[in-house]
Amino acid sequence: MQPPGVRPAPLTPDDRARLLAGEHHDPHSVLGAHATPGGVAFRVLRPYARAVTVLSDGLRAGLHDDGGGFFSGTLPLRKVPAYSLLVTYDDAENPLDVQDPYRFLPTLGDLDLHLIGEGRHEELWKALGANPMTHQSVAGTRFTVWAPNARGVRIAGDFNYWDSTGYPMRSLGSSGIWELFLPSVGEGERYKFDITRPDGSHTQRADPMARRAEVPPDNASIVTESHHIWQDADWLAHRADRPVHEAPFSVYEIHLPSWRPGLTYRQLATQLPSYVADLHFTHVQLMPVAEHPFGGSWGYQVTGFYAPTSRMGTPDDFRFLVDALHRAGIGVLMDWVPAHFPRDDWALAEFDGRPLYEHEDPARAAHPDWGTLEFDYGRTEVRNFLVANATYWCEEFHIDGLRVDAVASMLYLDYSREDGEWSPNEHGGRENLDAVAFLQEMNATVYRRNPGVVTIAEESTAWDGVTRATHHIGPGGFGGLGFGLKWNMGWMHDSLGYISHEPVHRKYHHNEMTFSMVYAYSENYVLPISHDEVVHGKRSLVSKLPGDWWQQRATHRAYLAFMWAHPGKQLLFMGQEFAQGAEWSEAHGPDWWLLDPSYAAESDHRGVRDLVRDLNTTYTATPALWQRDTDPAGFAWVEGDAAEDNVFAFLRYDAGGTPLLALSHFSPVVRHEYRLGVPGAVPAWQEVLNTDLSRYGGSDVRNPDPLKPESVPHDGRPSSIQLTLPPLSTIWLRPV
């Protein structure tokens, strides 16, 4: 072993103190190897080490112990060599041969920093977070984090026994980015950022860009990269063949952890695709899958925006599930929650000691309903974090659509706030202009980068132009928000209100079923019977309905067929497809035992599920039910005023003018020889679906023969048919 030669110039007391306190913005300037007039000076910070030796091409030189974990020495070399360190701890017989992180150049380029500064880095996850890579011919992981208010940032993890002292990161100038390449650190390593706040205190934080996290309640981030080989190329190639609003779109909403409690992503992949395909839904919609600490939030309080929850497996396991659904011909939508985030002190709240992701005004930052914090949509880096996150799920996990949660809470400055609790925008209005700009940018970016993907707004107000293109200016002076579809909350509330009344009282609420057609074409709508309608004392869908068990099931079936025929796409939450009587609970999921052949009323529930299968099969095969969902010419009332009869009848037309006649009857009586006006050009009508069939659990009142129009004017039409209306039923008829 060569002697270390002379010691380099000692660290200044300020550098030494800042390094030990985790407050040094440029540790690479004082640690590592640097050419000096006397050779090459080496300086290492390795707390608790007994000795450190430099190794390089036959060179083996011990460094002086400077105390406090610092080691140094100057070697008579002409230039800085490639070298490693032999570090000896208490066990002197097993020293560690390691690479020195402070001999490496920065891993993040000027273009990345420029795009981040501009808020335009559309692949932000490739620049920030923990990214395994080979740098200067050495394998390791690049760690980067945005923390502009920090006095210093260090990394703690499995690789340093969670002591971050020897792993300070360097600041990359005014970008607010801190960076460190750690050789030999790879997949599976847990880590956090140790941030020195402006006041000198410390906080350990999970990585905002982590792509994998520990299983809650543990909350460290985990280094990961994907090895999944996708097999859905055919699905992706044809996903954009037809615009979503002109295509069949029937959605089964799922809470993955409770659909079959205890199943992993890969186990779900063996059961979920076949179940959904058997029922012929075109899509599934997953309640939020991004990492969240509290399972009771159902995923709506996100801490790991870039990490699928580890409760059911790894990110590649989740990819496997999406891939399996695609190969079964099923699209995958997911809930996305950019409206707020929780206050957990290891996550985003005051991330670097000051408001960063949240608005700096506490009144603007605090969400009044959920005890959470709202994002600061006016800050370029925050907006970039969210826009990139939206496209990340589409590109990294092949997600086909994002249902954006709580859009109304983002759009209005006075949302759930009283007078005096909010301030108007620069024009004196209540609109959150920053949120509007963010949503427009997000939608434009997602659609530009991901052909065939759809964004869906859960927006509960009458905001103008939710599904209008961003460049089309509306009456209010705003461009459209750019969503593809919007949940029709008005239809949901009105129609559920109607069917919840006793049949004898429904005539007084008839308009609640017809009013939706007044505005049906103002947006591109989805009709949602979601998880929100079957929890917290609202009761399941079938349990909302009056009457005995037979009447409840009959109304349930009639309502679903009314929904499937109504203009707009449809969404149904799990458990409602077989008329589960109990409210949903995330603890145990759907009551699958109701479908067990050993259960006495099993056929009651299987009958409803058989109907849902037939609804989807007939719907998908009938363009009149989906091709002109956003075109007023695709709909015509036949009977919209029959309040005394509790009857609704309307025509749906496909692009070629072929009609389908849908007739719903919400009275528990049989009506014989009921006359309806019909288009004269149709020679005869045939039942194609009847919710009263015995195999669905009905009374089997049918119109078995073709119904030929008579030259009897009715409902303003020159021809009409007479048919029998089953009790509490919906029937669909199409031309023979």
Side-chain angles (χ1 to χ4, degrees):
M1 176 183 292
Q2 295 187 5
V6 298
R7 293 187 181 183
L11 280 175
T12 66
D14 179 62
D15 278 333
R16 185 183 180 96
R18 288 167 59 205
L19 282 169
L20 291 176
E23 297 180 359
H24 208 295
H25 73 285
D26 189 13
H28 291 70
S29 67
V30 290
L31 299 178
H34 301 273
T36 67
V40 174
F42 294 83
R43 187 176 288 111
V44 175
L45 175 56
R46 288 282 165 166
Y48 312 113
R50 290 179 55 191
V52 177
T53 300
V54 174
L55 305 177
S56 177
D57 289 333
L59 174 69
R60 185 183 179 97
L63 300 182
H64 293 285
D65 185 347
D66 297 333
F70 289 95
F71 297 83
S72 66
T74 299
L75 300 180
L77 302 172
R78 293 183 178 181
K79 62 180 181 178
V80 176
Y83 67 95
S84 64
L85 301 173
L86 196 66
V87 183
T88 303
Y89 290 95
D90 287 338
D91 186 356
E93 295 182 1
N94 293 291
L96 301 177
D97 188 349
V98 299
Q99 296 286 337
D100 184 1
Y102 298 95
R103 79 172 181 86
F104 293 93
L105 297 170
T107 54
L108 210 57
D110 290 339
L111 178 59
D112 285 314
L113 293 175
H114 172 75
L115 292 173
I116 292 170
E118 294 288 315
R120 299 289 180 181
H121 203 306
E122 295 177 359
E123 297 180 341
L124 189 65
W125 66 94
K126 296 181 179 179
L128 297 183
N131 286 277
M133 63 188 304
T134 298
H135 181 50
Q136 294 177 216
S137 301
V138 175
T141 295
R142 177 189 67 200
F143 293 88
T144 45
V145 63
W146 178 57
N149 298 308
R151 289 170 63 170
V153 183
R154 301 182 293 193
I155 303 174
D158 291 330
F159 40 82
N160 59 16
Y161 302 97
W162 294 92
D163 182 352
S164 64
T165 307
Y167 292 78
M169 305 176 74
R170 65 176 143 209
S171 170
L172 299 180
S174 61
S175 67
I177 306 297
W178 299 79
E179 178 264 358
L180 184 63
F181 175 73
L182 291 185
S184 302
V185 172
E187 285 189 82
E189 299 277 11
R190 299 177 303 155
Y191 69 98
K192 282 189 177 182
F193 294 113
D194 180 353
I195 296 173
T196 307
R197 299 183 178 105
D199 64 2
S201 63
H202 284 254
T203 179
Q204 279 202 352
R205 298 292 176 132
D207 183 357
M209 301 291 300
R211 288 172 288 154
R212 184 181 173 191
E214 285 189 291
V215 178
D218 295 328
N219 51 48
S221 303
I222 301 176
V223 178
T224 190
E225 60 181 333
S226 178
H227 302 284
H228 180 72
I229 299 174
W230 288 96
Q231 300 179 54
D232 62 350
D234 186 63
W235 170 269
L236 296 180
H238 294 286
R239 184 173 64 181
D241 285 354
R242 187 161 47 191
V244 169
H245 64 280
E246 297 176 359
F249 195 85
S250 173
V251 183
Y252 183 55
E253 188 189 22
I254 303 167
H255 179 250
L256 276 181
S258 69
W259 185 73
R260 293 279 191 180
L263 295 189
T264 66
Y265 290 127
R266 288 184 181 267
Q267 290 168 335
L268 284 163
T270 67
Q271 297 188 31
L272 183 60
S274 58
Y275 181 82
V276 177
D278 175 64
L279 294 182
H280 292 276
F281 284 97
T282 66
H283 293 73
V284 294
Q285 179 172 303
L286 310 179
M287 291 169 67
V289 297
E291 195 58 87
H292 51 283
F294 176 48
S297 77
W298 311 331
Y300 290 98
Q301 295 198 6
V302 178
T303 48
F305 281 81
Y306 284 78
T309 180
S310 294
R311 290 170 173 85
M312 293 166 286
T314 68
D316 268 359
D317 293 338
F318 180 62
R319 289 181 175 92
F320 186 87
L321 172 60
V322 175
D323 208 349
L325 286 161
H326 282 171
R327 286 184 281 114
I330 300 161
V332 182
L333 317 172
M334 61 169 273
D335 271 7
W336 185 55
V337 192
H340 64 125
F341 58 91
R343 296 174 179 265
D344 299 74
D345 60 7
W346 49 267
L348 295 183
E350 293 194 353
F351 181 75
D352 58 4
R354 291 179 180 165
L356 187 65
Y357 289 90
E358 67 270 41
H359 202 281
E360 62 182 1
D361 179 354
R364 284 279 298 274
H367 197 290
D369 289 346
W370 303 314
T372 52
L373 295 168
E374 298 185 11
F375 283 101
D376 182 0
Y377 304 107
R379 186 161 191 164
T380 55
E381 297 92 343
V382 174
R383 191 170 65 247
N384 193 173
F385 173 82
L386 292 171
V387 171
N389 185 243
T391 195
Y392 165 81
W393 288 101
C394 300
E395 296 178 21
E396 289 291 323
F397 296 96
H398 293 196
I399 295 297
D400 302 296
L402 301 172
R403 178 267 193 184
V404 183
D405 183 62
V407 171
S409 75
M410 303 164 63
L411 290 174
Y412 297 99
L413 296 169
D414 62 346
Y415 183 86
S416 282
R417 294 176 171 90
E418 303 295 334
D419 290 343
E421 295 179 345
W422 64 281
S423 300
N425 63 34
E426 61 194 62
H427 305 297
R430 57 196 285 253
E431 301 86 1
N432 186 336
L433 303 180
D434 292 333
V436 171
F438 156 66
L439 290 170
Q440 291 173 327
E441 180 182 351
M442 180 277 296
N443 281 315
T445 304
V446 166
Y447 278 105
R448 171 170 48 81
R449 292 181 62 100
N450 302 280
V453 164
V454 62
T455 59
I456 306 165
E458 187 221 8
E459 202 286 309
S460 55
T461 74
W463 183 280
D464 178 62
V466 172
T467 59
R468 190 170 61 234
T470 57
H471 60 279
H472 288 164
I473 306 301
F478 294 100
L481 296 183
F483 286 94
L485 299 168
K486 171 182 171 174
W487 274 21
N488 192 335
M489 310 296 280
W491 173 88
M492 179 269 295
H493 284 295
D494 289 346
S495 62
L496 288 181
Y498 174 86
I499 62 170
S500 298
H501 290 291
E502 292 283 350
V504 70
H505 297 139
R506 285 174 179 159
K507 62 183 178 182
Y508 303 112
H509 301 272
H510 196 79
N511 66 306
E512 293 177 8
M513 290 287 267
T514 60
F515 180 67
S516 58
M517 291 311 304
V518 173
Y519 60 88
Y521 303 103
S522 61
E523 302 281 3
N524 304 337
Y525 282 118
V526 174
L527 312 179
I529 300 299
S530 74
H531 65 277
D532 276 332
E533 310 318 315
V534 296
V535 290
H536 298 329
K538 295 181 182 178
R539 297 174 293 176
S540 70
L541 178 56
V542 74
S543 296
K544 297 176 191 291
L545 309 177
D548 59 22
W549 177 231
W550 190 94
Q551 291 181 332
Q552 286 180 310
R553 285 185 298 119
T555 307
H556 183 104
R557 297 191 304 267
Y559 177 72
L560 290 182
F562 171 82
M563 172 183 175
W564 255 249
H566 190 285
K569 313 309 179 183
Q570 51 277 328
L571 175 143
L572 189 66
F573 183 60
M574 64 184 195
Q576 313 317 300
E577 80 274 17
F578 58 85
Q580 172 176 313
E583 284 189 340
W584 168 63
S585 164
E586 78 276 1
H588 62 73
D591 290 336
W592 297 111
W593 57 271
L594 295 172
L595 299 170
D596 193 309
S598 64
Y599 176 58
E602 165 259 351
S603 61
D604 295 352
H605 298 278
R606 283 188 178 270
V608 175
R609 193 173 69 173
D610 289 344
L611 170 67
V612 170
R613 179 188 298 109
D614 290 349
L615 282 173
N616 280 325
T617 303
T618 308
Y619 165 82
T620 305
T622 308
L625 291 173
W626 43 262
Q627 200 170 50
R628 301 172 80 180
D629 270 331
T630 60
D631 180 359
F635 176 91
W637 280 112
V638 172
E639 187 60 85
D641 299 320
E644 292 291 335
D645 299 332
N646 295 346
V647 168
F648 307 87
F650 52 84
L651 291 159
R652 298 294 308 277
Y653 293 95
D654 66 18
T658 301
L660 179 134
L661 175 59
L663 193 155
S664 293
H665 175 221
F666 288 101
S667 288
V669 298
V670 179
R671 298 189 189 276
H672 298 282
E673 299 182 348
Y674 197 86
R675 189 171 291 277
L676 285 176
V678 292
V682 177
W685 297 84
Q686 181 74 55
E687 272 190 9
V688 65
L689 184 133
N690 182 333
T691 65
D692 192 51
L693 294 185
S694 58
R695 65 192 185 90
Y696 303 144
S699 57
D700 219 30
V701 175
R702 295 190 278 177
N703 296 275
D705 300 320
L707 300 168
K708 296 182 179 181
E710 302 171 328
S711 298
V712 178
H714 198 77
D715 298 322
R717 300 177 186 273
S719 301
S720 59
I721 57 174
Q722 279 191 323
L723 70 166
T724 300
L725 303 188
L728 298 172
S729 65
T730 293
I731 59 176
W732 296 352
L733 303 104
R734 64 184 175 196
V736 176

mmCIF file of all heavy atoms in Angstrom, residues 23-54:
data_model
loop_
_atom_site.group_PDB
_atom_site.id
_atom_site.type_symbol
_atom_site.label_atom_id
_atom_site.label_comp_id
_atom_site.label_asym_id
_atom_site.label_seq_id
_atom_site.Cartn_x
_atom_site.Cartn_y
_atom_site.Cartn_z
ATOM 1 N N GLU A 23 -26.500 20.660 4.908
ATOM 2 C CA GLU A 23 -26.879 21.958 4.365
ATOM 3 C C GLU A 23 -25.978 22.397 3.214
ATOM 4 O O GLU A 23 -26.001 23.558 2.821
ATOM 5 C CB GLU A 23 -26.836 23.018 5.474
ATOM 6 C CG GLU A 23 -27.822 22.757 6.607
ATOM 7 C CD GLU A 23 -27.754 23.818 7.692
ATOM 8 O OE1 GLU A 23 -26.915 24.739 7.564
ATOM 9 O OE2 GLU A 23 -28.523 23.724 8.659
ATOM 10 N N HIS A 24 -25.180 21.485 2.668
ATOM 11 C CA HIS A 24 -24.231 21.878 1.619
ATOM 12 C C HIS A 24 -24.897 21.753 0.259
ATOM 13 O O HIS A 24 -25.442 20.710 -0.086
ATOM 14 C CB HIS A 24 -22.983 21.005 1.672
ATOM 15 C CG HIS A 24 -21.760 21.690 1.165
ATOM 16 N ND1 HIS A 24 -21.612 22.084 -0.147
ATOM 17 C CD2 HIS A 24 -20.616 22.079 1.795
ATOM 18 C CE1 HIS A 24 -20.436 22.673 -0.315
ATOM 19 N NE2 HIS A 24 -19.807 22.680 0.856
ATOM 20 N N HIS A 25 -24.852 22.833 -0.522
ATOM 21 C CA HIS A 25 -25.519 22.811 -1.825
ATOM 22 C C HIS A 25 -24.642 22.202 -2.916
ATOM 23 O O HIS A 25 -25.131 21.840 -3.990
ATOM 24 C CB HIS A 25 -25.920 24.234 -2.238
ATOM 25 C CG HIS A 25 -24.760 25.086 -2.661
ATOM 26 N ND1 HIS A 25 -23.853 25.623 -1.761
ATOM 27 C CD2 HIS A 25 -24.347 25.480 -3.896
ATOM 28 C CE1 HIS A 25 -22.944 26.324 -2.418
ATOM 29 N NE2 HIS A 25 -23.214 26.245 -3.709
ATOM 30 N N ASP A 26 -23.310 22.074 -2.662
ATOM 31 C CA ASP A 26 -22.411 21.567 -3.699
ATOM 32 C C ASP A 26 -21.374 20.630 -3.085
ATOM 33 O O ASP A 26 -20.173 20.930 -3.054
ATOM 34 C CB ASP A 26 -21.716 22.737 -4.400
ATOM 35 C CG ASP A 26 -20.942 22.291 -5.640
ATOM 36 O OD1 ASP A 26 -21.145 21.137 -6.084
ATOM 37 O OD2 ASP A 26 -20.125 23.081 -6.142
ATOM 38 N N PRO A 27 -21.795 19.469 -2.579
ATOM 39 C CA PRO A 27 -20.843 18.565 -1.921
ATOM 40 C C PRO A 27 -19.775 18.036 -2.867
ATOM 41 O O PRO A 27 -18.671 17.694 -2.431
ATOM 42 C CB PRO A 27 -21.735 17.435 -1.403
ATOM 43 C CG PRO A 27 -22.959 17.472 -2.258
ATOM 44 C CD PRO A 27 -23.176 18.910 -2.579
ATOM 45 N N HIS A 28 -20.075 17.987 -4.157
ATOM 46 C CA HIS A 28 -19.093 17.471 -5.114
ATOM 47 C C HIS A 28 -17.882 18.402 -5.231
ATOM 48 O O HIS A 28 -16.825 17.965 -5.709
ATOM 49 C CB HIS A 28 -19.732 17.292 -6.490
ATOM 50 C CG HIS A 28 -20.744 16.178 -6.539
ATOM 51 N ND1 HIS A 28 -21.950 16.251 -5.910
ATOM 52 C CD2 HIS A 28 -20.699 14.954 -7.159
ATOM 53 C CE1 HIS A 28 -22.641 15.138 -6.130
ATOM 54 N NE2 HIS A 28 -21.910 14.334 -6.869
ATOM 55 N N SER A 29 -18.031 19.647 -4.822
ATOM 56 C CA SER A 29 -16.901 20.582 -4.909
ATOM 57 C C SER A 29 -15.859 20.322 -3.829
ATOM 58 O O SER A 29 -14.705 20.755 -3.963
ATOM 59 C CB SER A 29 -17.397 22.028 -4.813
ATOM 60 O OG SER A 29 -17.921 22.293 -3.514
ATOM 61 N N VAL A 30 -16.235 19.631 -2.770
ATOM 62 C CA VAL A 30 -15.293 19.399 -1.671
ATOM 63 C C VAL A 30 -15.060 17.915 -1.415
ATOM 64 O O VAL A 30 -14.065 17.537 -0.793
ATOM 65 C CB VAL A 30 -15.769 20.086 -0.370
ATOM 66 C CG1 VAL A 30 -15.659 21.606 -0.503
ATOM 67 C CG2 VAL A 30 -17.201 19.698 -0.028
ATOM 68 N N LEU A 31 -15.977 17.059 -1.833
ATOM 69 C CA LEU A 31 -15.798 15.624 -1.706
ATOM 70 C C LEU A 31 -15.378 15.039 -3.050
ATOM 71 O O LEU A 31 -15.515 15.677 -4.101
ATOM 72 C CB LEU A 31 -17.093 14.952 -1.236
ATOM 73 C CG LEU A 31 -17.633 15.381 0.133
ATOM 74 C CD1 LEU A 31 -18.950 14.659 0.437
ATOM 75 C CD2 LEU A 31 -16.610 15.119 1.236
ATOM 76 N N GLY A 32 -14.851 13.809 -3.036
ATOM 77 C CA GLY A 32 -14.415 13.169 -4.267
ATOM 78 C C GLY A 32 -12.951 13.439 -4.533
ATOM 79 O O GLY A 32 -12.148 13.621 -3.610
ATOM 80 N N ALA A 33 -12.581 13.468 -5.816
ATOM 81 C CA ALA A 33 -11.188 13.658 -6.228
ATOM 82 C C ALA A 33 -11.071 14.923 -7.066
ATOM 83 O O ALA A 33 -11.884 15.149 -7.976
ATOM 84 C CB ALA A 33 -10.707 12.445 -7.015
ATOM 85 N N HIS A 34 -10.038 15.725 -6.767
ATOM 86 C CA HIS A 34 -9.851 16.999 -7.475
ATOM 87 C C HIS A 34 -8.362 17.215 -7.726
ATOM 88 O O HIS A 34 -7.522 16.995 -6.831
ATOM 89 C CB HIS A 34 -10.397 18.160 -6.646
ATOM 90 C CG HIS A 34 -11.853 18.028 -6.315
ATOM 91 N ND1 HIS A 34 -12.855 18.477 -7.137
ATOM 92 C CD2 HIS A 34 -12.467 17.458 -5.237
ATOM 93 C CE1 HIS A 34 -14.035 18.213 -6.588
ATOM 94 N NE2 HIS A 34 -13.826 17.589 -5.430
ATOM 95 N N ALA A 35 -8.069 17.632 -8.967
ATOM 96 C CA ALA A 35 -6.680 17.934 -9.302
ATOM 97 C C ALA A 35 -6.227 19.170 -8.544
ATOM 98 O O ALA A 35 -6.951 20.177 -8.466
ATOM 99 C CB ALA A 35 -6.547 18.150 -10.805
ATOM 100 N N THR A 36 -5.022 19.088 -7.975
ATOM 101 C CA THR A 36 -4.427 20.213 -7.243
ATOM 102 C C THR A 36 -2.990 20.381 -7.711
ATOM 103 O O THR A 36 -2.438 19.498 -8.392
ATOM 104 C CB THR A 36 -4.442 19.941 -5.728
ATOM 105 O OG1 THR A 36 -3.551 18.851 -5.444
ATOM 106 C CG2 THR A 36 -5.856 19.603 -5.237
ATOM 107 N N PRO A 37 -2.337 21.483 -7.370
ATOM 108 C CA PRO A 37 -0.927 21.648 -7.770
ATOM 109 C C PRO A 37 -0.025 20.520 -7.276
ATOM 110 O O PRO A 37 0.979 20.196 -7.908
ATOM 111 C CB PRO A 37 -0.547 22.982 -7.127
ATOM 112 C CG PRO A 37 -1.835 23.731 -7.052
ATOM 113 C CD PRO A 37 -2.866 22.692 -6.757
ATOM 114 N N GLY A 38 -0.376 19.864 -6.200
ATOM 115 C CA GLY A 38 0.469 18.801 -5.664
ATOM 116 C C GLY A 38 0.079 17.416 -6.114
ATOM 117 O O GLY A 38 0.639 16.425 -5.628
ATOM 118 N N GLY A 39 -0.913 17.275 -6.988
ATOM 119 C CA GLY A 39 -1.366 15.965 -7.433
ATOM 120 C C GLY A 39 -2.884 15.913 -7.465
ATOM 121 O O GLY A 39 -3.545 16.854 -7.934
ATOM 122 N N VAL A 40 -3.454 14.838 -6.966
ATOM 123 C CA VAL A 40 -4.907 14.690 -6.903
ATOM 124 C C VAL A 40 -5.305 14.516 -5.442
ATOM 125 O O VAL A 40 -4.807 13.598 -4.760
ATOM 126 C CB VAL A 40 -5.388 13.489 -7.735
ATOM 127 C CG1 VAL A 40 -6.892 13.259 -7.537
ATOM 128 C CG2 VAL A 40 -5.083 13.705 -9.216
ATOM 129 N N ALA A 41 -6.177 15.407 -4.998
ATOM 130 C CA ALA A 41 -6.645 15.361 -3.617
ATOM 131 C C ALA A 41 -7.927 14.544 -3.545
ATOM 132 O O ALA A 41 -8.849 14.741 -4.340
ATOM 133 C CB ALA A 41 -6.883 16.770 -3.094
ATOM 134 N N PHE A 42 -7.979 13.629 -2.578
ATOM 135 C CA PHE A 42 -9.157 12.795 -2.342
ATOM 136 C C PHE A 42 -9.745 13.167 -0.984
ATOM 137 O O PHE A 42 -9.012 13.320 -0.002
ATOM 138 C CB PHE A 42 -8.777 11.310 -2.335
ATOM 139 C CG PHE A 42 -8.301 10.787 -3.666
ATOM 140 C CD1 PHE A 42 -6.975 10.956 -4.060
ATOM 141 C CD2 PHE A 42 -9.174 10.136 -4.528
ATOM 142 C CE1 PHE A 42 -6.535 10.485 -5.283
ATOM 143 C CE2 PHE A 42 -8.737 9.659 -5.744
ATOM 144 C CZ PHE A 42 -7.420 9.828 -6.135
ATOM 145 N N ARG A 43 -11.052 13.313 -0.976
ATOM 146 C CA ARG A 43 -11.713 13.582 0.306
ATOM 147 C C ARG A 43 -13.012 12.791 0.347
ATOM 148 O O ARG A 43 -13.803 12.820 -0.599
ATOM 149 C CB ARG A 43 -11.982 15.068 0.492
ATOM 150 C CG ARG A 43 -12.517 15.390 1.889
ATOM 151 C CD ARG A 43 -12.683 16.889 2.108
ATOM 152 N NE ARG A 43 -11.395 17.556 2.252
ATOM 153 C CZ ARG A 43 -10.876 18.399 1.365
ATOM 154 N NH1 ARG A 43 -11.548 18.658 0.252
ATOM 155 N NH2 ARG A 43 -9.711 18.974 1.573
ATOM 156 N N VAL A 44 -13.241 12.095 1.428
ATOM 157 C CA VAL A 44 -14.368 11.179 1.559
ATOM 158 C C VAL A 44 -15.068 11.435 2.884
ATOM 159 O O VAL A 44 -14.405 11.683 3.903
ATOM 160 C CB VAL A 44 -13.885 9.708 1.498
ATOM 161 C CG1 VAL A 44 -15.041 8.739 1.745
ATOM 162 C CG2 VAL A 44 -13.215 9.413 0.156
ATOM 163 N N LEU A 45 -16.392 11.364 2.861
ATOM 164 C CA LEU A 45 -17.185 11.440 4.092
ATOM 165 C C LEU A 45 -17.864 10.083 4.283
ATOM 166 O O LEU A 45 -18.811 9.737 3.574
ATOM 167 C CB LEU A 45 -18.229 12.557 4.005
ATOM 168 C CG LEU A 45 -19.216 12.664 5.177
ATOM 169 C CD1 LEU A 45 -18.494 12.807 6.509
ATOM 170 C CD2 LEU A 45 -20.183 13.830 4.957
ATOM 171 N N ARG A 46 -17.366 9.310 5.239
ATOM 172 C CA ARG A 46 -17.920 7.991 5.533
ATOM 173 C C ARG A 46 -18.072 7.855 7.053
ATOM 174 O O ARG A 46 -17.165 7.378 7.746
ATOM 175 C CB ARG A 46 -17.001 6.890 5.003
ATOM 176 C CG ARG A 46 -17.002 6.770 3.492
ATOM 177 C CD ARG A 46 -18.232 6.037 2.984
ATOM 178 N NE ARG A 46 -18.419 6.206 1.553
ATOM 179 C CZ ARG A 46 -19.229 5.475 0.821
ATOM 180 N NH1 ARG A 46 -19.932 4.514 1.400
ATOM 181 N NH2 ARG A 46 -19.363 5.703 -0.456
ATOM 182 N N PRO A 47 -19.178 8.302 7.603
ATOM 183 C CA PRO A 47 -19.373 8.192 9.047
ATOM 184 C C PRO A 47 -19.213 6.748 9.521
ATOM 185 O O PRO A 47 -19.625 5.810 8.825
ATOM 186 C CB PRO A 47 -20.805 8.686 9.249
ATOM 187 C CG PRO A 47 -21.080 9.533 8.058
ATOM 188 C CD PRO A 47 -20.323 8.904 6.930
ATOM 189 N N TYR A 48 -18.585 6.585 10.681
ATOM 190 C CA TYR A 48 -18.421 5.298 11.359
ATOM 191 C C TYR A 48 -17.366 4.402 10.708
ATOM 192 O O TYR A 48 -17.116 3.298 11.199
ATOM 193 C CB TYR A 48 -19.739 4.533 11.465
ATOM 194 C CG TYR A 48 -20.875 5.386 11.975
ATOM 195 C CD1 TYR A 48 -21.947 5.715 11.156
ATOM 196 C CD2 TYR A 48 -20.854 5.894 13.279
ATOM 197 C CE1 TYR A 48 -22.982 6.514 11.623
ATOM 198 C CE2 TYR A 48 -21.890 6.698 13.751
ATOM 199 C CZ TYR A 48 -22.942 7.002 12.911
ATOM 200 O OH TYR A 48 -23.949 7.805 13.365
ATOM 201 N N ALA A 49 -16.732 4.838 9.614
ATOM 202 C CA ALA A 49 -15.680 4.030 9.002
ATOM 203 C C ALA A 49 -14.411 4.094 9.856
ATOM 204 O O ALA A 49 -14.081 5.132 10.433
ATOM 205 C CB ALA A 49 -15.404 4.483 7.583
ATOM 206 N N ARG A 50 -13.673 2.988 9.891
ATOM 207 C CA ARG A 50 -12.385 2.956 10.591
ATOM 208 C C ARG A 50 -11.251 3.339 9.667
ATOM 209 O O ARG A 50 -10.239 3.895 10.102
ATOM 210 C CB ARG A 50 -12.136 1.564 11.159
ATOM 211 C CG ARG A 50 -13.056 1.205 12.313
ATOM 212 C CD ARG A 50 -12.781 -0.191 12.820
ATOM 213 N NE ARG A 50 -11.376 -0.360 13.184
ATOM 214 C CZ ARG A 50 -10.798 -1.536 13.458
ATOM 215 N NH1 ARG A 50 -11.527 -2.649 13.395
ATOM 216 N NH2 ARG A 50 -9.525 -1.606 13.780
ATOM 217 N N ALA A 51 -11.402 3.036 8.374
ATOM 218 C CA ALA A 51 -10.346 3.348 7.415
ATOM 219 C C ALA A 51 -10.939 3.413 6.022
ATOM 220 O O ALA A 51 -11.927 2.731 5.718
ATOM 221 C CB ALA A 51 -9.247 2.291 7.469
ATOM 222 N N VAL A 52 -10.326 4.238 5.167
ATOM 223 C CA VAL A 52 -10.719 4.341 3.767
ATOM 224 C C VAL A 52 -9.462 4.292 2.919
ATOM 225 O O VAL A 52 -8.491 5.025 3.172
ATOM 226 C CB VAL A 52 -11.504 5.633 3.482
ATOM 227 C CG1 VAL A 52 -11.833 5.735 1.989
ATOM 228 C CG2 VAL A 52 -12.780 5.693 4.305
ATOM 229 N N THR A 53 -9.483 3.447 1.892
ATOM 230 C CA THR A 53 -8.344 3.272 0.996
ATOM 231 C C THR A 53 -8.794 3.537 -0.429
ATOM 232 O O THR A 53 -9.883 3.117 -0.852
ATOM 233 C CB THR A 53 -7.792 1.837 1.097
ATOM 234 O OG1 THR A 53 -7.378 1.599 2.444
ATOM 235 C CG2 THR A 53 -6.620 1.622 0.164
ATOM 236 N N VAL A 54 -7.948 4.252 -1.195
ATOM 237 C CA VAL A 54 -8.218 4.516 -2.611
ATOM 238 C C VAL A 54 -7.617 3.387 -3.442
ATOM 239 O O VAL A 54 -6.442 3.033 -3.266
ATOM 240 C CB VAL A 54 -7.631 5.872 -3.036
ATOM 241 C CG1 VAL A 54 -7.795 6.076 -4.549
ATOM 242 C CG2 VAL A 54 -8.292 7.002 -2.276
#
